[in-house]
Amino acid sequence: MPYTYYISTLILTVIGLVFWTYPPKKINEFYGYRTTRSRKSQEAWAFAQRYSAKLMTIFGLAALIVAAAAHLFRNRLCINSDFLMLYDICITLLLPIIVAILPIILTELQLRKRFG
């Protein structure tokens, strides 16, 4: 289970890099950062694509570092297996959820600040 720490954060990082490298040029229904605020104008759309992809990549890389530290720390824990299972679940599930939600929140705040 410890190696699953890396899988989800690596996927989020790769998605961020793909969106950063190949952002959608026009507002669409299939690809990119699609929220009500990001679709209000072409300018808001372009900003949201760049900003969210950058955040997802940065948070994904930071999460990979946290996952590596959590893996190393896990190997040093000398406690019962029930706690280790809880530890694994928390890192494997909570870390990717936090990393996926933070860019959305921060991007929406910036869109509201810049575009109303």
Side-chain angles (χ1 to χ4, degrees):
M1 186 158 200
Y3 292 107
T4 58
Y5 295 173
Y6 303 108
I7 294 170
S8 53
T9 54
L10 186 61
I11 289 169
L12 290 168
T13 304
V14 169
I15 289 170
L17 285 171
V18 168
F19 283 172
W20 200 353
T21 306
Y22 305 105
K25 304 289 187 231
K26 296 180 182 178
I27 298 172
N28 68 72
E29 296 295 323
F30 304 108
Y31 175 70
Y33 183 86
R34 299 177 322 261
T35 63
T36 303
R37 277 198 175 92
S38 69
R39 291 188 237 182
K40 281 190 176 181
S41 70
Q42 186 61 43
E43 186 182 2
W45 175 262
F47 171 80
Q49 303 313 309
R50 287 188 314 272
Y51 192 80
S52 65
K54 182 179 177 181
L55 287 179
M56 187 176 281
T57 303
I58 291 168
F59 286 134
L61 290 172
L64 279 170
I65 293 167
V66 169
H71 186 180
L72 292 173
F73 181 70
R74 181 193 188 278
N75 292 338
R76 300 199 190 303
L77 291 174
C78 297
I79 48 181
N80 66 24
S81 62
D82 290 338
F83 181 79
L84 283 178
M85 186 169 32
L86 179 62
Y87 181 83
D88 288 340
I89 289 169
C90 286
I91 298 297
T92 304
L93 295 177
L94 293 180
L95 187 62
I97 289 170
I98 291 168
V99 169
I101 290 174
L102 273 177
I104 295 169
I105 293 169
L106 294 173
T107 302
E108 287 301 306
L109 289 172
Q110 281 298 312
L111 283 169
R112 185 183 326 156
K113 183 178 174 182
R114 288 177 175 244
F115 302 101

